[in-house]
Amino acid sequence: MIVVTGGAGFVGSNIVKELNSRGVTNIVVVDDMTDGSKFRNLVNCKVADYIDATTFREAIRTKAFHHRPRVIFHYGENSSNNGSNGKKMLEANFTYSKELFHWCKDQGVRFIYASSAVVYGNNTTFAEGDFQEAPLNVYGYSKMLFDQYVVKNTDIRSPQVVGLRLFSVYGPGEQYQSSIPSTVFQFYEKRKSFKAIELFGEYAGVEAGQQKRDFVHVQDVARLNCWFLDHPEISGIYNVGTGVASSFHDVATEVASNFGNPEGYIKFISFPAELKGRYPSYACADISKLRRAGSVLRFRGIEEGIRNYLEWLESPEGLLR
């Protein structure tokens, strides 16, 4: 049996689908279905059971969860990068994760969890290691804190523990996540509504629209999670991205080209005052540690990834979202 927390969410549901593609169906999905629309992410999935997130956490906390899964993929987090309630953020992303981590350690269960590239903040170096983290908000702090806790409390006797620092993930299933959807999805919705795609203007020496991110397709993220499932001997914290940064202008052009005349539907707005000093102009994953671990997984580039995503958005499955 495999448990996927946040299994009805963005990355979690794609992990379920990747497992299904491998013939694995003995999957327990853990999630909070208060937003009932998330069920659509699981309509085409085969799972063995569904457990409410609160019920699952209480069972873990009280040692009343009597199953011993092969692995827990932990994607049941508060993913709101703009959240300001530090107490709730740390409760969801640190305390809950600690409880699950220790339960897995005690039971000998493998643990693969979502971290985030936001731990790097405004840094210009994006390699896993000491003193590289400088988060700009409490979400990033909650992720950094748990990564550090895992490192301090894992040893050679521990079962596999893997933290995946996700860069800018986009793709099928993101429309139901609690945080702001990817710029790829936002740009698509703008053009679909015949509205202009708005990009940030020049700020701090960065030209208009040239802020850059490492955009990684969610299906590649799911495949990498399953690569670690295939390699129980490998633990650690790893960046997850393509290793190539693309500008928001490049992404906007790629999305708008799907509708024709891309330049006519891109405009620049003044850089928001509330983001000054709190908005990184550049982020790109250093994936050399992942490659040294033995992963040769190919991450699709932004052109291929956006093309695949737009094809899905305009497919019968995507249109029913």
Side-chain angles (χ1 to χ4, degrees):
M1 182 238 291
I2 290 174
V3 172
V4 183
T5 72
F10 179 27
V11 180
S13 64
N14 278 279
I15 291 174
V16 173
K17 290 172 184 176
E18 178 64 24
L19 290 168
N20 282 177
S21 75
R22 294 161 156 244
V24 178
T25 59
N26 192 15
I27 304 166
V28 175
V29 167
V30 175
D31 214 312
D32 180 340
M33 281 284 192
T34 301
D35 177 3
S37 63
K38 289 197 296 185
F39 85 90
R40 294 186 179 91
N41 278 343
L42 294 173
V43 165
N44 296 322
C45 297
K46 294 182 179 179
V47 302
D49 201 359
Y50 168 86
I51 302 176
D52 175 75
T54 301
T55 302
F56 176 74
R57 183 178 179 184
E58 183 62 20
I60 290 294
R61 182 187 289 149
T62 60
K63 306 281 194 298
F65 189 71
H66 300 304
H67 304 284
R68 190 172 179 273
R70 178 181 173 192
V71 62
I72 292 181
F73 292 102
H74 182 40
Y75 282 82
E77 58 168 359
N78 183 337
S79 58
S80 177
N81 203 0
N82 296 320
S84 59
N85 189 320
K87 182 175 181 178
K88 287 185 177 180
M89 189 71 71
L90 287 166
E91 175 67 19
N93 292 352
F94 182 59
T95 305
Y96 176 29
S97 297
K98 275 199 309 179
E99 292 167 358
L100 198 50
F101 165 71
H102 281 292
W103 184 89
C104 286
K105 190 175 179 181
D106 291 344
Q107 298 296 319
V109 173
R110 296 157 62 188
F111 184 58
I112 300 173
Y113 72 92
S115 183
S116 173
V118 298
V119 301
Y120 295 115
N122 270 328
N123 276 354
T124 56
T125 301
F126 302 92
E128 312 88 333
D130 293 337
F131 311 115
Q132 297 296 331
E133 300 87 359
L136 298 174
N137 56 35
V138 71
Y139 171 69
Y141 177 71
S142 72
K143 290 299 189 180
M144 180 192 75
L145 196 62
F146 185 62
D147 283 350
Q148 293 175 342
Y149 186 87
V150 165
V151 171
K152 291 176 182 176
N153 290 277
T154 301
D155 55 43
I156 58 173
R157 296 167 296 177
S158 302
Q160 180 189 38
V161 181
V162 177
L164 299 178
R165 286 184 173 171
L166 308 182
F167 277 67
S168 297
V169 186
Y170 67 96
E174 64 174 299
Q175 61 273 19
Y176 306 119
Q177 62 179 335
S178 59
S179 59
I180 298 172
S182 73
T183 52
V184 179
F185 183 73
Q186 292 180 60
F187 292 170
Y188 174 81
E189 289 290 282
K190 285 275 190 179
R191 283 299 296 116
K192 186 180 177 184
S193 302
F194 303 101
K195 297 177 181 178
I197 295 173
E198 297 178 338
L199 303 178
F200 290 155
E202 183 276 336
Y203 172 66
V206 179
E207 295 180 9
Q210 292 305 307
Q211 295 85 5
K212 294 184 176 182
R213 296 288 184 272
D214 190 335
F215 295 93
V216 58
H217 197 285
V218 68
Q219 290 170 353
D220 294 337
V221 173
R223 288 167 58 215
L224 182 64
N225 275 265
C226 290
W227 183 84
F228 279 103
L229 176 64
D230 294 335
H231 292 83
E233 74 282 3
I234 299 175
S235 292
I237 295 174
Y238 297 89
N239 287 334
V240 181
T242 66
V244 177
S246 301
S247 72
F248 288 107
H249 188 270
D250 288 343
V251 172
T253 300
E254 195 68 36
V255 172
S257 295
N258 187 65
F259 298 89
N261 187 24
E263 291 300 331
Y265 288 93
I266 298 174
K267 72 175 186 178
F268 300 102
I269 61 173
S270 298
F271 194 92
E274 65 272 17
L275 293 182
K276 291 181 178 180
R278 301 194 301 111
Y279 186 85
S281 62
Y282 180 83
C284 183
D286 179 341
I287 57 173
S288 56
K289 181 180 177 182
L290 180 65
R291 295 310 188 204
R292 289 195 302 272
S295 172
V296 295
L297 177 73
R298 185 183 77 86
F299 294 98
R300 67 199 82 182
I302 195 67
E303 295 86 359
E304 179 186 0
I306 289 178
R307 184 172 65 251
N308 294 161
Y309 187 24
L310 297 190
E311 288 172 356
W312 182 85
L313 285 168
E314 294 171 359
S315 71
E317 183 181 358
L319 291 171
L320 286 173
R321 68 187 189 280

